[in-house]
Amino acid sequence: MTQQIQTQAQPPGTEYPFAPVPVPEAVEHLKRIMADRPMSRMTMPHGGDCWLVHRNRAAREILGDARFVREPFRTGKREVPFFVPFPDFLRTTLQFEDPPQHTKLRRLVQKAISPRRVRDMRSSAVAFANELIDGMTARGGVRDLVTEYALALPIEMLSSLLGVPSSDRDRFERWSHSTLAVADRSEEEKAADLGELAAYMTDLIARRREEPRDDLLSALAHARDKDETLTDAEILPIAFILIVGGFDNTANFLSMGVLSLLRSEEQRALFLTDPDGLAPTAAEEILRHGRNEIGLPMGGGGGLVPFVATEDVVVDGQLIAAGEAVSVDVTAAGHDPEALEDPARFDITRKDNPHLTLSYGIHHCLGAPLARMELQVGLAELFKRLPGLQLAGEPAFRHDVLGAPMAALSVTW
């Protein structure tokens, strides 16, 4: 029997969640919801009740408030309220830690993924992007942009950052998709793949302790020699989340970005006038709205990883009681008319773009500087080299993996 998502009764035209509808209609529906209330209470298919916060300002307030924690989910005391069974693996990673442990781990990782380090990596990203484009043009015909470009670029950059051989790309993909699987893989298969990943990384960390290099794993492995210490048990989850989430999400953003530009003749023509100059704002608009610009209907009902309130908290006039779960509706927050002008419009020149796709506050995505750089470089180099890029078929998506990433995108030029 299929479980139904329950929601509190609302005035006509403001029900939440709502099924996918054409994007302009969905944005208007979200606008009515946000005018009516800052959040909706839902009974999720898994994990029970959860508040879904719609307004951008209220979402930022919650993401910056230490009274909202994830410890009950990390310890297994509570099931994560979500639309699918939340992968157990993810509950062991940094995003489920709370201060002070979260603060300690994040500070150490940020030293290695600093904006300066990412700027230094940019030239190698440009070179590798062009190497990939050279390969596609040499092979000619119809190419799959996802496997031949969008996945390959962030894997190479992440490999360089972590100090992991990029020759292990196929294994990274398998481990990532397995640990994030929501269908078609048994718990035994997922456990076996996670065990392989753990053994691989443990061995690599040991080698970096003996022969350090200029990479993140070496920095973390030798943090114990400084004023802060990290055990293998602390390093592994950091490496896991960066490997599993660090390339797949970026690859999906890049694929979606290319498709959104190919679907919008006006914005593609504009981007071609100055790919390097427009790449920063285009990347932010793709993060905010790119998935909604690719020609698919848009629904309402998703959110970031939830938190639990440690005490009664009033946010934007709504009481969230101690012990209640709360999540941020990123789609609504990215289309809040109080935060963005004309939020339904896909505008790659948008200057003020306070989307929350990469979260905010202490849980702001650790790899955000790297992801943004890769997205900017990936878009700019591709359209500079292949201004006549065009679709050669409809995109395919993986619905057996959390987030339903794009699996294939046939292009030609």
Side-chain angles (χ1 to χ4, degrees):
M1 181 177 178
T2 303
Q3 289 179 291
Q4 298 296 316
I5 300 171
Q6 301 174 11
T7 181
Q8 61 202 51
Q10 301 296 345
T14 63
E15 66 275 7
Y16 186 89
F18 58 92
V21 295
V23 171
E25 184 179 334
V27 173
E28 284 302 308
H29 191 108
L30 289 171
K31 181 179 178 180
R32 291 193 296 272
I33 289 173
M34 286 182 275
D36 180 67
R37 60 193 183 276
M39 61 192 77
S40 300
R41 186 178 176 85
M42 296 170 48
T43 299
M44 307 297 282
H46 301 271
D49 290 351
C50 185
W51 289 102
L52 269 291
V53 181
H54 312 303
R55 293 175 183 165
N56 192 287
R57 180 172 56 82
R60 286 171 179 268
E61 183 177 336
I62 285 171
L63 290 170
D65 192 327
R67 292 174 293 179
F68 294 98
V69 302
R70 288 177 173 154
E71 181 182 13
F73 303 136
R74 177 175 55 81
T75 60
K77 183 178 180 181
R78 288 185 59 172
E79 183 182 0
V80 181
F82 217 64
F83 289 84
V84 296
F86 206 85
D88 286 341
F89 151 76
L90 287 177
R91 292 191 295 106
T92 70
T93 60
L94 180 60
Q95 65 178 322
F96 277 86
E97 293 284 356
D98 299 307
Q101 178 71 353
H102 180 277
T103 307
K104 168 190 171 182
L105 297 177
R106 187 178 182 93
R107 182 170 61 246
L108 291 170
V109 177
Q110 283 181 317
K111 292 178 181 178
I113 317 182
S114 66
R116 179 177 179 179
R117 174 69 179 268
V118 171
R119 285 195 298 272
D120 291 342
M121 294 175 66
R122 193 179 191 98
S123 60
S124 61
V126 169
F128 190 68
N130 280 279
E131 183 180 323
L132 293 172
I133 296 167
D134 288 342
M136 288 195 299
T137 56
R139 290 185 289 273
V142 175
R143 311 310 316 166
D144 178 12
L145 192 81
V146 174
T147 58
E148 297 183 54
Y149 188 72
L151 268 171
L153 178 60
I155 285 179
E156 179 71 15
M157 293 299 99
L158 186 64
S159 299
S160 174
L161 179 72
L162 281 171
V164 175
S166 57
S167 58
D168 289 329
R169 167 187 167 183
D170 290 343
R171 287 202 278 180
F172 290 169
E173 286 188 58
R174 176 167 59 83
W175 289 330
S176 175
H177 291 152
S178 176
T179 52
L180 297 179
V182 295
D184 298 334
R185 287 190 74 78
S186 68
E187 291 303 316
E188 291 75 17
E189 289 173 316
K190 289 192 283 187
D193 284 334
L194 184 58
E196 283 185 30
L197 176 55
Y200 177 95
M201 296 307 300
T202 299
D203 176 67
L204 195 56
I205 291 167
R207 282 188 274 154
R208 292 296 181 265
R209 281 209 172 102
E210 294 199 4
E211 297 180 11
R213 300 181 183 178
D214 183 22
D215 57 46
L216 177 58
L217 283 184
S218 296
L220 295 177
H222 287 270
R224 62 176 60 248
D225 298 329
K226 302 174 185 177
D227 58 343
E228 295 157 312
T229 62
L230 286 181
T231 65
D232 282 8
E234 291 173 317
I235 297 173
L236 278 174
I238 295 172
F240 284 176
I241 195 63
L242 289 172
I243 289 175
V244 172
F247 74 83
D248 219 9
N249 285 335
T250 306
N252 202 38
F253 289 139
L254 181 52
S255 301
M256 291 288 185
V258 172
L259 181 56
S260 63
L261 288 171
L262 293 179
R263 294 286 200 207
S264 175
E265 183 175 345
E266 175 197 16
Q267 295 297 301
R268 181 177 69 255
L270 177 60
F271 188 67
L272 287 173
T273 64
D274 185 12
D276 287 322
L278 288 169
T281 51
E284 297 307 312
E285 186 69 341
I286 286 163
L287 288 169
R288 181 191 75 89
H289 189 73
R291 191 177 182 94
N292 310 123
E293 190 64 22
I294 64 176
L296 297 178
M298 174 179 169
L304 294 174
V305 178
F307 298 89
V308 174
T310 58
E311 60 182 77
D312 290 357
V313 184
V314 175
V315 176
D316 203 358
Q318 174 64 56
L319 171 67
I320 302 172
E324 290 186 328
V326 59
S327 178
V328 170
D329 176 0
V330 176
T331 300
H335 293 82
D336 185 346
E338 293 297 316
L340 297 105
E341 183 179 351
D342 194 8
R345 175 173 167 74
F346 181 56
D347 180 5
I348 63 169
T349 67
R350 190 184 295 274
K351 302 291 188 205
D352 186 12
N353 200 337
H355 66 81
L356 299 174
T357 304
L358 300 178
S359 196
Y360 177 76
I362 67 169
H363 288 283
H364 184 239
C365 175
L366 267 175
L370 183 62
R372 285 185 161 102
M373 182 273 284
E374 292 167 351
L375 186 52
Q376 293 169 18
V377 168
L379 291 169
E381 298 307 311
L382 184 67
F383 281 95
K384 283 192 295 185
R385 291 284 305 278
L386 303 174
L389 192 72
Q390 57 186 292
L391 293 175
E394 290 300 308
F397 298 86
R398 291 195 62 158
H399 296 287
D400 60 332
V401 175
L402 192 67
M406 193 182 297
L409 182 63
S410 297
V411 296
T412 188
W413 49 88

